[in-house]
Structures are given as C-alpha cells and as structure tokens.
C-alpha cells in the first residue's frame, strides 16, 4: 500500500482520471485527490471523494491549520498528474504556486509522473514542448500522450494514455531504480523492436495451432523502453495484453509472418527483443477448405518445423545491434536451469538471454516473474517481481551491452 497523490488538471480527460483513481484504490493504495478548480468544472468533488474514500483537497485556504499546501506534497510517496493540461505543464515548469496542486508540486520530494492530454496543436506547440523538456530536466517523468481520437472529430497526438497504462507506469515508479532510469531516459532515440504474444498456425480456414502466451512480457518491455525514451515498435502476434500507446504496432499471425516482420524491423533497429512465443511447428499441408469430421479414424496432422526467428536475426545482425532472446525452461534445479540457458544462448548466438523457470506452469499470463539475464560470460542480472520491473532489469542489461558493443 502506497500513499499516492492524484492531481487532476482541467481537461475533458479528467473523466478518465476517475478510472485511474479506481484502479489505484482497488490495488489497495491510499489515494488523495487534488483537483484544480478547472478540473472541478469537468468532474465534481463528490465523485473524487466517493471513489477515493478520502477527503478531497481543492484549495490552499481550507484547513489552513493543517498547512495542506505543504503537508500533502510531503506525505505523498508518488504524485501522479492526470490529465496534465498545457496550462498545468506551463505553471509547473515556471514554478508557479497559484493553486493547491501547483503548491503540492513544489513541495513533493517523491517521484512525480505527469500524463499530458490536450489537442494536438497545443501538445506540439514549442511552448508546451519547452515546458515538457524543462520538467523532464528537473526529474519529472512526463509521459508522451497517445495518438488517436480527441474530443472533437480531430485525431493526432494528445490523448490521455489509457488508465491501465498510466497505472502500470505509475506503480513501476514506486521502485527507485525505475525512477532513475525514467529520469535518465538512457534509451532516448534508441530504436527498439519487441516481439510479443503467440503465433497461430492455420490448420484450415477456421482452426489453428496456438499457445497460451498473453503478450504481457513483450508489452511490459515496450512500456519500459518508451519510459526510457526509446522509439518502440511492437511486432505482435495473438495477445490479450494492451499495446502501450506511443509504440508503433505491426500485427502478425504466423511464425513465418513474424520472421518477415522482424527481419524488416531489424534493418532499422538498434535493439531486437524476441519476447514472443512463436509456434515451433506448423501444419505441413493446411487445408484450403474447412476440415470435416473424420469419424473413428480421427485426424492425423503432420507438422513441419517453423523458422527460428531469433537465429535468423542473429545471422543478419548489424554492427552494434543488441539481440535479446527469451528462454522458458522446465529445470529440476537452479544449476540445471543455468546449464540449459548457457547452451541455448550459445546455440542461438544472441547477446543476452532472459531465462525463466516455467516448471509448474508459471509465467504465462501471470503478472509476476523471476528471471536471470545471462550473456556469454554468465549471469548479468537477476530480477524478481512484476513484469514491468523485470523489463527494466532486461533494459539495464541491454544498455550495458550497447556500451560494450561500441
Ligand atoms: N524463437 C524464435 N523462433 C522460433 C521459436 C522461438 O525466434 N520458431 C525465440 C523465442 O522468441 C525466444 C527464443 O527463441 O526468444 C527461445 O525460445 P524457446 O522456445 O525456448 O527456444 P527453442 O529454440 O524453441 O528451444 P527448444 O529446443 O528448447 O524448444
């Protein structure tokens, strides 16, 4: 349970902050809401109070004996401002303290996350961009807005990221190592391609061979890379996890499609991460028509081996490119797991291998994970926890590998 202060500025996306608040509260966090006077034009105090289960603070002048303009910021373990409007960003960047929320921003010493939302022109305006750069230089973590439908008929960058996305980034910032990485933006300008999810191999026009991969690991890696400033492309097979806004999405179906999309991405990527679970087999002769019942004889299908996507990427590796593979193994012991990992790293030829123990059906679809990250010299890191945390551990190893590759 953490003490989160949710600041809400005056934009129509304030209604989405209600969903964010609900998610934080359901996850067991104590959330204090500080809406600006303009935010209250969109969503009233009663809604914030009911959803947070706590008093809502709206002005500097109320409860002066408790000195709220200082106490609230000091007490918070994390401040999240969603939506952060152009005006809020401008006031925060210039250090104004003309309402309770900007006072909080001046007194909070904990990590601060801002999720901007505004019309595209306002977001792209040099004044807003300069304010964002100022805030980032001061250590505020400012998300890039999503692209898509805005309030009116217009579309473009400026949408508030989905509440589930803001929640995941926000909660990852409760870990100091993630705050440091997000502040450094150590992958700024680095082109990262991540594959995610399972592939589907057609048996006939309506049936396929698939697997239980959710795509959560790949999406967490994409989210973490975006937070660290990377340009991210996600090559996604079948996934149930949502794609983080800000990532370019390429959708694929089969392992052959995935191989083609990754080979194409490889020509312009600095980092390639194979977090997908491609099918290793594909029906040798898929039926053009829907297969009929076969009676007692049943159906015998011959499967052909699919291409090894990772091995193909290694063969066409560009100088300086870092290639990361994943290995899900069922091992009897930690030493056996490490042996399997070393052998696979050598066989695949990738720079880093993220090693999972899936004995007992762990990992697929789960939020938490424990991994060892290995290179040719041995273990370079172990991370336990939520897939967002594991992703930052993997990207730490990627950043180190990029430095030694130069
Ligand atoms: N992979 C791939 N192409 C495939 C299968 C797997 O690129 N056709 C990638 C996965 O995305 C992962 C890595 O290879 O990054 C290891 O996957 P895994 O299934 O453990 O490897 P396999 O080569 O299939 O090894 P095994 O012989 O243990 O099945």
């Amino acid at each position: 349970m953490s003490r989160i202060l949710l600041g809400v500025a005056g934009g129509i996306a304030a209604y989405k902050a209600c969903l964010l608040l609900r998610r934080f509260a359901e996850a067991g966090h104590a959330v204090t809401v500080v809406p600006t006077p303009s935010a209250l034009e969109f969503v009233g105090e009663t809604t914030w109070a009911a959803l947070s289960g706590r008093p809502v603070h709206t002005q500097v002048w109320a409860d002066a004996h408790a000195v709220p303009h200082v106490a609230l910021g000091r007490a918070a373990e994390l401040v999240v401002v969603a939506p952060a409007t152009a005006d809020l960003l401008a006031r925060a960047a210039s250090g104004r303290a003309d309402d309770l929320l900007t006072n909080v921003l001046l007194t909070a010493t904990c990590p601060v996350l801002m999720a901007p939302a505004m019309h595209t022109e306002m977001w792209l305006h040099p004044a807003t961009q300069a304010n964002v750069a100022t805030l980032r230089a001061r250590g505020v973590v400012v998300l890039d807005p999503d692209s898509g439908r805005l309030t009116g008929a217009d579309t473009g960058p400026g949408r508030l990221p989905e509440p589930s996305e803001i929640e995941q980034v926000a909660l990852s910032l409760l870990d100091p190592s993630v705050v440091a990485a997000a502040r450094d933006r150590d992958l700024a300008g680095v082109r990262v391609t991540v594959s995610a999810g399972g592939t589907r191999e057609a048996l006939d026009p309506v049936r396929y061979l698939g697997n239980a991969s959710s795509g959560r690991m790949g999406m967490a890696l994409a989210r973490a890379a975006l937070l660290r400033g990377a340009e991210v492309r996600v090559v996604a097979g079948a996934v149930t996890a949502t794609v983080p806004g800000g990532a370019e999405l390429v959708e694929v179906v089969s392992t052959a499609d995935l191989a083609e999309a990754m080979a194409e991405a490889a020509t312009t990527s600095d980092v390639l991460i194979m977090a997908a679970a491609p099918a290793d087999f594909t029906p040798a002769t898929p039926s053009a028509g829907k297969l009929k019942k076969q009676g007692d004889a049943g159906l015998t299908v011959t499967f052909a081996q699919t291409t090894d996507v990772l091995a193909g990427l290694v063969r066409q590796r560009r100088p300086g490119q870092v290639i990361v593979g994943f290995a899900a193994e069922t091992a009897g012991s930690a030493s056996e797991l490490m042996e399997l990992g070393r052998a696979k790293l050598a066989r695949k030829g990738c720079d880093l291998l993220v090693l999972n123990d899936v004995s007992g059906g762990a990992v697929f679809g789960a939020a938490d994970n424990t991994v060892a990250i290995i290179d040719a010299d041995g273990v370079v890191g172990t991370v336990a926890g939520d897939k967002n945390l594991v992703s930052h551990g993997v990207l730490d190893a990627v950043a180190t590998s990029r430095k030694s590759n130069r």
Side-chain angles (χ1 to χ4, degrees):
M1 195 273 280
S2 298
R3 293 182 305 277
I4 300 177
L5 188 139
L6 176 62
V8 186
I12 180 63
Y15 80 92
K16 286 194 187 171
C18 298
L19 303 175
L20 178 62
L21 168 56
R22 214 186 160 122
R23 295 185 77 98
F24 283 146
E26 279 174 5
H29 301 290
V31 191
T32 302
V33 186
V34 178
T36 63
S38 324
L40 294 172
E41 296 285 328
F42 291 95
V43 179
E45 192 176 331
T46 316
T47 302
W48 302 119
L51 289 176
S52 67
R54 302 168 72 84
V56 174
H57 301 267
T58 56
Q59 23 166 328
V60 184
W61 314 116
D63 303 320
H65 63 283
V67 203
H69 72 289
V70 177
L72 289 168
R74 279 191 187 153
E77 290 170 274
L78 176 70
V79 172
V80 179
V81 182
T85 55
D87 178 63
L88 188 279
L89 292 172
R91 289 188 293 126
S94 57
R96 299 283 302 268
D98 49 1
D99 63 14
L100 185 57
L101 180 54
T102 44
N103 274 274
V104 165
L105 292 173
L106 286 177
T107 50
T109 51
C110 62
V112 176
L113 172 69
M114 294 195 180
M118 64 199 74
H119 281 279
T120 303
E121 295 83 349
M122 297 173 91
W123 171 249
L124 295 178
H125 195 284
T128 305
Q129 290 298 310
N131 290 331
V132 169
T134 301
L135 290 165
R136 281 182 175 157
R138 283 189 202 139
V140 176
V141 180
V142 184
L143 288 178
D144 283 324
D146 277 5
S147 277
R149 182 83 195 269
L150 301 171
T151 328
D154 46 345
T155 60
R159 265 168 70 99
L160 187 75
E162 289 306 312
S164 61
E165 276 303 312
I166 302 174
E167 180 201 15
Q168 294 207 50
V169 173
L171 298 185
S172 73
L173 292 173
L174 292 170
D175 188 291
S177 71
V178 177
V179 178
R183 284 179 174 162
D184 282 358
R185 290 176 70 79
D186 59 346
L187 297 179
V190 176
R191 294 162 301 178
V192 177
T193 297
V194 184
S195 69
T199 61
R200 290 178 172 179
E201 307 298 321
L203 190 57
D204 70 12
V206 294
R207 301 183 179 93
Y208 57 81
L209 173 76
N211 63 55
S213 171
S214 62
R216 281 177 85 147
M217 189 68 234
M219 298 312 173
L221 283 156
R223 180 178 307 118
L226 285 164
L227 192 64
R228 294 164 81 140
E231 289 170 25
V232 180
R233 182 185 292 192
V234 174
V235 177
V239 294
T240 50
T242 47
V243 186
E248 181 196 350
L249 175 66
V250 177
E251 289 176 294
V252 296
V253 178
S254 66
T255 298
D257 297 340
L258 177 67
E260 197 182 319
M262 288 305 289
E264 207 270 311
T267 61
T268 55
S269 296
D270 304 304
V271 179
L272 296 165
I273 308 180
M274 278 296 299
D280 284 321
F281 310 103
T282 190
T285 46
S287 172
K290 186 180 166 205
L291 289 165
K292 295 288 180 198
K293 287 193 179 63
Q294 308 285 317
D296 290 343
L299 177 69
T300 304
V301 180
T302 304
F303 290 97
Q305 187 79 43
T306 57
T307 36
D308 188 321
V309 184
L310 181 56
L313 295 173
V314 169
R315 278 196 299 277
Q316 64 164 60
R317 183 204 323 248
R318 298 185 327 142
Q321 197 170 51
V322 175
I323 304 181
V324 184
F326 273 71
E329 305 288 354
T330 47
S333 65
S335 61
E336 192 195 331
L337 180 68
M338 212 46 73
E339 262 329 294
L340 289 168
R342 286 217 175 94
K344 189 164 282 184
L345 181 85
R347 201 166 64 242
K348 299 265 185 180
C350 48
D351 301 281
L352 297 166
L353 191 74
V354 184
L355 203 48
N356 278 305
D357 186 354
V358 287
S359 311
V363 179
F364 280 159
D368 284 5
N369 208 349
T370 303
V371 304
I373 304 155
I374 61 170
D375 70 4
D377 297 327
V379 179
V380 294
T382 47
V383 203
D386 156 284
K387 286 184 179 175
N388 293 312
L389 281 190
V390 167
S391 297
H392 283 284
V394 172
L395 294 178
D396 289 344
V398 165
T400 308
S401 177
R402 271 173 56 76
K403 278 186 204 138
S404 59
N405 265 1
R406 270 186 209 135

